[in-house]
Amino acid sequence: MEGDDMNLKDIQQKLMTQEEDSIKLLKRFVEIESFSYDKQGIDNLCRVITNIFQELPVSIEELQEETLGNHLRITYGEGNRQITILSHLDTVYPRGTLEIMPFRLDGNKVSGPGVYDMKVSYVMMYHLFKLLRENKGPGDDVRIVWLLTSDEEIGSPSGKHHVYREADKSEVILVLEPTGGDGALKTSRKGGGKFRIEVKGISAHAGVNPEEGANAIEELVYQISKIAALADSSKGTSINTGEIRGGTLFNVVAEHAVAEVDVRVLIPSEAERIENAFKSLTVNNPKTSLSVEGSIYRPPMIRTDKTGVLFNLACAVAEEIGLTLSEVMTGGGSDGNYAASRGVPVLDGLGVVGGYAHSPEEFLWKDTIAERTSLLYGLVLSLIRKQHWHIDNIVN
Ligand SMILES: [Zn+2]
């Protein structure tokens, strides 16, 4: 930090004294339920965020959606150099979850639906913008764009286009998804997709005329064993048939069967291999027919040299508050995957420390709000000023 600034340790201390306000703010966000398919809930959340951030020197744009929730784009500064920060508005919890899983503060533990993934990130951004304002803003040549997508938990069918647009204008992308379990940042993520295999057979009486039938379940089992063999753990490729349905009764030759399959890949060429393999599946029993739908829609987020430089910068900043950072690869996807696919350096997992996202036990550790917000602030400030790190080395 420059001489006239508070050092990061002081910033962290200051944020600790504001913990009660942070928790109050977090509670407000968590108590507006915003399930991915709940447009009304997400749009309400947009309004609350807009009201709270209006007092800051930012411009706020609500990006309208017809059936999904609206997205938000909040900008601070008007410079030409863009630093983009990503959050999402949606959660995996349908409306009503709050009744059985209320917002709770228990010592250092805060729990509730979406508290950790990733409503706490709005609290972090509130503090970040306030700290920047106290410190003369982002400067003349930088603008900070905070994009909140409404559909991340369902693969960002609409939000990804906004992510692409911002990524193409950005020097770097910071993603406020939760940290890895022990506080690690996420420098690579698997990509993935979903496939559906549907078999049509011919129904018949299992005792009277089975030879006239064609069993869709047996055919599906054959197909499932073929696709299971496509997995390759040495390359990080996994296949999970997570759901099957089919048949009517035990004594009827099954006319119909369906499987839903999850695929994760770490290497782009694997995505192509798997997609081709699904496309070229052929029936074993010629009396049945097969239809295959799906794709690998989320590209893997690959750890490049630029990612490494960005991670090292974060480590240098973290040292100022006595924090040693580590990095992990994760099988879960985020908007970071889409951003990284445009060739811009992405650092993900810059949220807080906690656990059990997407489950009734979801929680975060309260004291990491101040810790990770000061890390984020230090990181953003270093990027603005090109301190510690020569941005020109990684920006084309
Ligand atoms: Zn998330």
Side-chain angles (χ1 to χ4, degrees):
M1 304 295 108
E2 276 169 8
D4 57 335
D5 297 344
M6 291 173 95
N7 68 44
L8 266 199
K9 203 81 202 150
D10 294 337
I11 299 277
Q12 186 182 8
Q13 277 307 319
K14 179 179 157 159
L15 290 169
M16 289 296 270
T17 65
Q18 296 171 1
E19 218 167 43
E20 218 171 289
D21 292 337
S22 297
I23 296 301
K24 256 189 226 155
L25 199 52
L26 182 55
K27 184 170 189 283
R28 278 186 76 183
F29 295 136
V30 172
E31 290 186 342
I32 301 159
E33 291 182 288
S34 57
F35 181 50
S36 305
Y37 295 102
D38 182 353
K39 176 168 176 61
Q40 203 191 3
I42 291 174
D43 290 356
N44 282 342
L45 181 57
C46 283
R47 241 149 276 147
V48 169
I49 293 174
T50 299
N51 279 334
I52 290 168
F53 280 77
Q54 243 165 11
E55 66 171 81
L56 295 163
V58 296
S59 65
I60 304 175
E61 224 183 310
E62 200 166 325
L63 308 162
Q64 302 292 324
E65 283 293 326
E66 211 128 284
T67 45
L68 290 166
N70 295 340
H71 315 283
L72 272 183
R73 183 181 189 273
I74 300 184
T75 308
Y76 190 7
E78 290 169 354
N80 287 323
R81 295 175 49 212
Q82 178 168 331
I83 296 168
T84 298
I85 301 175
L86 297 179
S87 292
H88 59 80
L89 295 158
D90 59 329
T91 73
V92 297
Y93 306 96
R95 195 181 287 218
T97 302
L98 210 47
E99 277 167 47
I100 45 167
M101 186 185 166
F103 182 89
R104 268 184 47 199
L105 173 62
D106 187 6
N108 193 31
K109 195 173 182 179
V110 191
S111 39
V115 70
Y116 169 58
D117 180 15
M118 56 189 303
K119 293 191 168 176
V120 69
S121 71
Y122 323 155
V123 178
M124 295 173 71
M125 287 305 294
Y126 180 73
H127 288 301
L128 176 82
F129 285 149
K130 266 181 43 177
L131 287 164
L132 281 174
R133 181 180 62 183
E134 285 159 24
N135 205 344
K136 303 172 213 124
D140 290 337
D141 60 338
V142 174
R143 62 175 184 273
I144 293 167
V145 174
W146 178 33
L147 177 68
L148 299 100
T149 55
S150 67
D151 54 356
E152 192 271 350
E153 297 291 5
I154 53 170
S156 307
S158 156
K160 70 179 172 194
H161 300 291
H162 295 290
V163 173
Y164 289 147
R165 193 167 311 132
E166 299 310 330
D168 289 345
K169 293 184 283 186
S170 300
E171 289 185 347
V172 291
I173 306 254
L174 307 176
V175 188
L176 302 186
E177 285 286 343
T179 60
D182 59 347
L185 303 192
K186 294 168 176 170
T187 48
S188 64
R189 287 181 178 273
K190 285 189 181 182
K194 199 163 81 175
F195 291 88
R196 176 193 171 91
I197 303 176
E198 195 163 359
V199 179
K200 216 171 150 15
I202 300 166
S203 85
H205 191 296
V208 179
N209 59 342
E211 65 286 343
E212 285 172 31
N215 192 316
I217 292 176
E218 286 174 9
E219 178 65 27
L220 185 67
V221 168
Y222 170 82
Q223 300 297 340
I224 288 172
S225 70
K226 273 185 80 176
I227 58 167
L230 296 171
D232 184 348
S233 59
S234 72
K235 290 185 173 142
T237 303
S238 64
I239 310 270
N240 179 58
T241 301
E243 199 183 337
I244 56 168
R245 294 181 300 277
T248 49
L249 268 178
F250 76 102
N251 58 2
V252 177
V253 176
E255 192 187 10
H256 183 246
V258 185
E260 311 277 356
V261 186
D262 177 281
V263 177
R264 308 277 162 149
V265 295
L266 195 53
I267 306 171
S269 62
E270 282 291 280
E272 207 176 313
R273 177 178 73 88
I274 299 293
E275 280 191 337
N276 287 338
F278 268 90
K279 267 187 228 152
S280 49
L281 287 173
T282 52
V283 289
N284 184 45
N285 177 352
K287 284 165 74 184
T288 63
S289 64
L290 196 62
S291 89
V292 180
E293 278 170 33
S295 65
I296 294 182
Y297 52 83
R298 192 131 55 179
M301 180 177 111
I302 301 157
R303 188 193 193 284
T304 63
D305 292 349
K306 292 177 178 186
T307 321
V309 177
L310 198 49
F311 174 69
N312 288 339
L313 171 65
C315 290
V317 172
E319 265 173 36
E320 294 180 33
I321 52 170
L323 181 67
T324 306
L325 287 179
S326 55
E327 59 178 313
V328 287
M329 185 277 287
T330 169
S334 86
D335 282 338
N337 292 63
Y338 294 117
S341 74
R342 308 298 267 207
V344 59
V346 177
L347 195 57
D348 201 336
L350 283 164
V352 304
V353 188
Y356 301 119
H358 299 197
S359 94
E361 316 298 329
E362 176 170 349
F363 78 96
L364 61 82
W365 298 119
K366 186 178 69 172
D367 57 354
T368 65
I369 300 174
E371 177 190 281
R372 298 292 159 150
T373 304
S374 43
L375 170 63
L376 178 67
Y377 176 64
L379 185 56
V380 167
L381 220 52
S382 297
L383 290 166
I384 290 172
R385 296 174 178 170
K386 303 185 180 180
Q387 272 178 340
H388 287 299
W389 175 57
H390 297 287
I391 203 163
D392 303 328
N393 289 349
I394 67 164
V395 176
N396 299 320

